[in-house]
Amino acid sequence: MSARAEMVRSWLLGLQDRIIDGLQAADGKPFITDGWIRGPEERLQGDGRTRLVEEGNVFERGGCNFSHVRGPNLPPSASANRPELAGASFEAMGVSLVLHPRNPYIPTVHLNVRFFTAQPPSGDAVSWFGGGMDLTPYYGFEEDATHFHRTCRDALAPFGADTHARYKQWCDEYFLLKHRKEARGIGGVFFDDLGAEGEVSFDHGWGVTQAVGDAFLAAYLPIVERRRDMPYGERERDFQAYRRGRYVEFNLVFDRGTLFGLQSGGRTESILMSMPPIVKWRYDWHPEPGSPEAKLYTDFLPPREWV
């Protein structure tokens, strides 16, 4: 393993520890730790550490995973935008997080930061960074959306005046259920293939990745604290389960991280950690006009400038 890879791995493990410390303090229930190793006889080699809570005091289900894997061939989801890397061996490491709170007034949240190196059959190795975080509320609150997006903007401010705007737009375009023409949530920031073309230095891509990961707790925990004690009933839980169905649809149909894990032979339990525990679908259902549920569709899901 190169010195750069060792540096990234050490930071990712530390990020996982810091995030779990913050989440455990907020929830009050310890997350379980499940370490795993894939040996040389496996299709995918490497190791990882899954940290998970189920039936917590705040989080109905949630986890924060670290993985570091190597394989002989990049799966189609990772080489779709770079066909010249088809057939390349690869090394990938990252931290991925999804939290599904019980209270419908607390949004679901997702974070991922990752580092890839691919070695084509001929030519030089190519490395890049990717990541982002996004918020998926069930009931919209202007102050929560503004806080989340402002934290993302401030984290990226040192990397160029237009960086946040570009990564916000990328997020809005990525987390879209194309078959429904509907956003999964209210977005955040998203970037991928950063540094793959040599357009930025390793240090720049590494700095962006660290900034996004380091900003997560500040972006999300204040929202948890504001909403955790709000009373709710069966109506709100029912709508939450319905909207969680959109989360499942996106992750299984479009999400590149989920597809990468499944296509490369990754650890299924860790990959599908992102699935919510209770989900509902209905045929051609629409919220009552003027209701709080309808407001999510009219005022929050359409992309807008929050800061």
Side-chain angles (χ1 to χ4, degrees), residues 35-286:
W36 54 269
I37 297 175
R38 288 286 185 88
E41 73 283 356
E42 301 277 355
R43 177 182 168 194
L44 201 66
Q45 298 87 48
D47 68 294
R49 189 173 66 179
T50 295
R51 305 291 304 275
L52 184 79
V53 66
E54 293 184 306
E55 298 301 327
N57 298 305
V58 173
F59 302 114
E60 191 169 18
R61 188 167 197 259
C64 181
N65 294 342
F66 165 80
S67 65
H68 183 186
V69 296
R70 295 168 295 280
N73 299 105
L74 271 175
S77 60
S79 59
N81 294 336
R82 297 179 56 79
E84 70 275 13
L85 295 181
S89 60
F90 71 92
E91 180 179 9
M93 62 183 81
V95 165
S96 184
L97 169 154
V98 177
L99 298 169
H100 293 290
R102 178 177 288 101
N103 190 320
Y105 292 115
I106 306 176
T108 283
V109 71
H110 163 253
L111 165 79
N112 179 265
V113 284
R114 55 195 178 273
F115 177 59
F116 269 79
T117 300
Q119 177 62 64
S122 60
D124 296 330
V126 180
S127 297
W128 66 91
F129 292 95
M133 57 177 155
D134 63 286
L135 199 67
T136 304
Y138 305 97
Y139 291 89
F141 295 92
E142 296 268 345
E143 64 177 321
D144 294 351
T146 299
H147 169 80
F148 189 83
H149 282 275
R150 181 184 294 121
T151 306
C152 291
R153 180 199 64 188
D154 293 348
L156 293 175
F159 303 97
D162 67 335
T163 299
H164 172 257
R166 288 190 290 112
Y167 291 178
K168 179 194 179 298
Q169 181 179 353
W170 200 343
C171 190
D172 290 337
E173 293 172 352
Y174 179 77
F175 290 103
L176 177 71
L177 288 93
K178 298 177 181 65
H179 57 293
R180 295 187 183 275
K181 298 181 175 62
E182 178 183 300
R184 186 174 83 172
I186 63 166
V189 291
F190 178 86
F191 64 97
D192 205 357
D193 301 318
L194 186 61
E197 300 285 353
E199 77 286 2
V200 299
S201 67
F202 173 90
D203 289 343
H204 180 95
W206 177 220
V208 169
T209 304
Q210 288 177 291
V212 170
D214 290 340
F216 171 74
L217 291 176
Y220 186 60
L221 286 185
I223 298 172
V224 172
E225 293 306 312
R226 274 200 292 267
R227 306 300 164 200
R228 62 183 297 161
D229 295 324
M230 288 184 66
Y232 62 88
E234 186 55 37
R235 169 181 174 146
E236 290 79 16
R237 281 284 283 173
D238 189 64
F239 183 61
Q240 178 192 47
Y242 174 75
R243 286 297 307 173
R244 282 174 170 177
R246 300 295 203 263
Y247 210 90
V248 172
E249 287 179 25
F250 182 88
N251 277 25
L252 294 182
V253 177
F254 297 112
D255 185 67
R256 288 176 63 182
T258 303
L259 296 175
F260 171 84
L262 296 175
Q263 291 171 357
S264 64
R267 188 171 184 266
T268 303
E269 286 299 308
S270 298
I271 297 164
L272 297 183
M273 173 213 73
S274 63
M275 296 297 106
I278 298 173
V279 189
K280 293 182 180 180
W281 280 268
R282 298 192 189 90
Y283 179 77
D284 198 26
W285 181 84
H286 302 278

Side-chain angles (χ1 to χ4, degrees), residues 12-25 31 63-64 95 97 99 111 113 212-214 216-217 221:
L12 288 168
L13 284 166
L15 175 68
Q16 185 191 38
D17 287 340
R18 286 185 282 119
I19 288 176
I20 291 298
D21 286 347
L23 296 178
Q24 288 182 151
F31 282 49
C64 181
V95 165
L97 169 154
L99 298 169
L111 165 79
V113 284
V212 170
D214 290 340
F216 171 74
L217 291 176
L221 286 185

